[in-house]
Amino acid sequence: VEVASENWQDDYGKKRAEYARRGVPVYVVVDWRRRCLVVCREPEEATGRYQQEVTYREGEAVVLGELDGCVLAVSEVLGGAFGEDLLQEDIERLLAERAAREAAEARAKEAEARAEAERAAKEAERRAKLEAEARAEAERAAKEALLAELARLRAQLGSPPEA
């Protein structure tokens, strides 16, 4: 028994063919979208097809002789608390998956922002260091220029140089 959901193409295509190839005597698809049960019987292993396919609607019942005469009332399967529970579980699962994905995306964005902030801080630190080195070099050059100017002026005045 398969319960068709978002991947109903798999339930009606790939899975049905695989079960037929393996000789599974009866294959039942609970189809919420179409509100029915689809029962496939008499598998052809060579072709991967079932020779018999019958659709049962609400108000009908399926007797599965292959399963010791198990009776499935379509309305009970589709409309009972069981069906609502499955739908609620699917909704909760999808919401949890979306919340987890959004949380992961948020964490990734936060990590990117932290990394960018760290890169910016390192770049600012590097620039500040370069500016400090440039100021120190300018101060040394200015000091040398002043000392040279002082020595030149003393030479012009004829005074002895001071140490």
Side-chain angles (χ1 to χ4, degrees), residues 34-136:
R34 292 178 34 215
R35 305 291 300 160
C36 65
L37 299 183
V38 178
V39 179
C40 302
R41 291 184 166 103
E42 301 176 25
E44 290 182 344
E45 295 177 33
T47 64
R49 294 180 183 267
Y50 283 93
Q51 293 179 31
Q52 182 188 52
E53 180 179 303
V54 180
T55 301
Y56 295 87
R57 304 260 174 222
E58 292 185 89
E60 298 178 315
V62 181
V63 178
L64 299 173
E66 300 88 348
L67 297 175
D68 293 329
C70 174
V71 178
L72 296 177
V74 177
S75 296
E76 287 182 23
V77 172
L78 293 176
F82 171 73
E84 291 175 15
D85 290 346
L86 287 177
L87 288 175
Q88 187 60 38
E89 286 175 13
D90 277 349
I91 290 168
E92 289 172 5
R93 178 185 51 80
L94 291 171
L95 289 173
E97 287 174 2
R98 183 172 72 185
R101 186 176 57 251
E102 289 172 352
E105 289 171 358
R107 285 191 304 272
K109 285 181 182 179
E110 288 172 4
E112 286 177 21
R114 281 193 306 273
E116 182 57 35
E118 287 175 13
R119 282 192 294 276
K122 285 181 181 179
E123 179 61 21
E125 184 179 320
R126 185 185 70 78
R127 286 184 181 179
K129 184 177 177 181
L130 289 174
E131 289 173 5
E133 289 173 356
R135 277 194 304 277

